[in-house]
Amino acid sequence: EAGVAQSPRYKIIEKRQSVAFWCNPISGHATLYWYQQILGQGPKLLIQFQNNGVVDDSQLPKDRFSAERLKGVDSTLKIQPAKLEDSAVYLCASSAGTINGYEQYFGPGTRLTVT
Amino acid sequence: AQSVTQLDSHVSVSEGTPVLLRCNYSSSYSPSLFWYVQHPNKGLQLLLKYTSAATLVKGINGFEAEFKKSETSFHLTKPSAHMSDAAEYFCVVNSGYSTLTFGKGTMLLVSP
């Protein structure tokens, strides 16, 4: 089966600019996650969707970050305006369910550099 | 609340020697535990998972891990390292809905 797709793979922007990332999960997976992975750290959950509803966005900086999942399939994550500390790899993952133990499948990530 | 501590930021081994990557966890509930591997410029891949069945879990590529509740540990081992095992490894805990908490990672270096 096809894996989780993300684009772009790399993005360089200046601070205060805006940027958007796209994710296409594995077909049939109801749950979609966005993670931020800063260099030298493990991934940190930003937001979790169940179909097209938000389950958890407690760690999403809502003053600058937004995400949506239209029709319960693809998702976009936007940053506006970007700050230097937003430089990181943004990972999208999907899973078939939300019960404890369901495996999450990760995409290759988008590496964002803010200058 | 849940947390994960990976005790070593870097581990260096020679090819053909055993691998031990250490992980301790903290959880308010009965956790599920995972090990993920991340090769450079590639996505995270699941190595193995523990979900309250057998405490010794076998994964892909010859890796295994043992869940020890009394020690709150879930160490990852492999009898004989291969050059292709060089990567970053993450210990992950899930003790509730589906939120995963990642450790900071251990970089495994394998020398010939």
Side-chain angles (χ1 to χ4, degrees):
Chain A
E1 65 182 2
V4 176
Q6 290 187 248
S7 68
R9 292 295 309 276
Y10 305 91
K11 189 74 176 179
I12 301 174
I13 62 172
E14 295 181 352
K15 60 183 179 183
R16 291 187 290 274
Q17 287 187 323
S18 61
V19 65
F21 313 128
W22 172 83
C23 172
N24 179 244
I26 292 173
S27 178
H29 278 191
T31 312
L32 185 146
Y33 314 79
W34 283 102
Y35 290 86
Q36 180 191 58
Q37 185 176 17
I38 293 173
L39 186 66
Q41 299 181 20
K44 180 186 79 172
L45 180 70
L46 291 176
I47 188 167
Q48 176 185 339
F49 291 94
Q50 176 71 14
N51 295 310
N52 59 352
V54 175
V55 173
D56 182 356
D57 63 356
S58 57
Q59 298 198 79
L60 186 75
K62 299 180 185 63
D63 58 333
R64 299 183 299 106
F65 286 64
S66 64
E68 60 181 7
R69 190 183 184 197
L70 300 176
K71 301 181 181 178
V73 182
D74 293 2
S75 177
T76 56
L77 175 70
K78 297 179 181 178
I79 308 175
Q80 181 179 12
K83 292 185 175 181
L84 294 176
E85 59 260 37
D86 298 331
S87 294
V89 176
Y90 291 84
L91 297 166
C92 179
S94 69
S95 67
T98 56
I99 295 174
N100 198 0
Y102 266 107
E103 178 180 351
Q104 294 186 19
Y105 295 83
F106 286 81
T110 297
R111 183 177 299 276
L112 174 67
T113 302
V114 182
T115 62
Chain B
Q2 58 189 29
S3 66
V4 172
T5 302
Q6 292 185 243
L7 298 166
D8 306 291
S9 60
H10 292 81
V11 170
S12 295
V13 300
S14 299
E15 191 173 21
T17 64
V19 175
L20 170 64
L21 304 183
R22 299 182 293 165
C23 172
N24 286 106
Y25 70 91
S26 172
S27 172
S28 303
Y29 304 98
S30 295
S32 290
L33 293 157
F34 307 78
W35 276 97
Y36 279 84
V37 61
Q38 188 173 38
H39 288 93
N41 298 316
K42 292 192 176 180
L44 287 154
Q45 180 185 18
L46 181 68
L47 276 180
L48 50 81
K49 66 179 179 181
Y50 164 77
T51 56
S52 75
T55 56
L56 182 61
V57 181
K58 294 188 183 299
I60 62 172
N61 301 333
F63 285 94
E64 61 181 39
E66 186 172 8
F67 173 71
K68 292 187 177 180
K69 186 175 180 179
S70 61
E71 300 176 8
T72 61
S73 70
F74 190 58
H75 301 334
L76 181 70
T77 61
K78 183 174 180 177
S80 176
H82 192 273
M83 294 296 290
S84 61
D85 294 328
E88 190 159 24
Y89 292 78
F90 293 94
C91 183
V92 185
V93 64
N94 174 348
S95 58
Y97 197 40
S98 60
T99 300
L100 300 184
T101 298
F102 283 75
K104 291 188 175 182
T106 298
M107 186 66 70
L108 177 64
L109 307 170
V110 183
S111 56

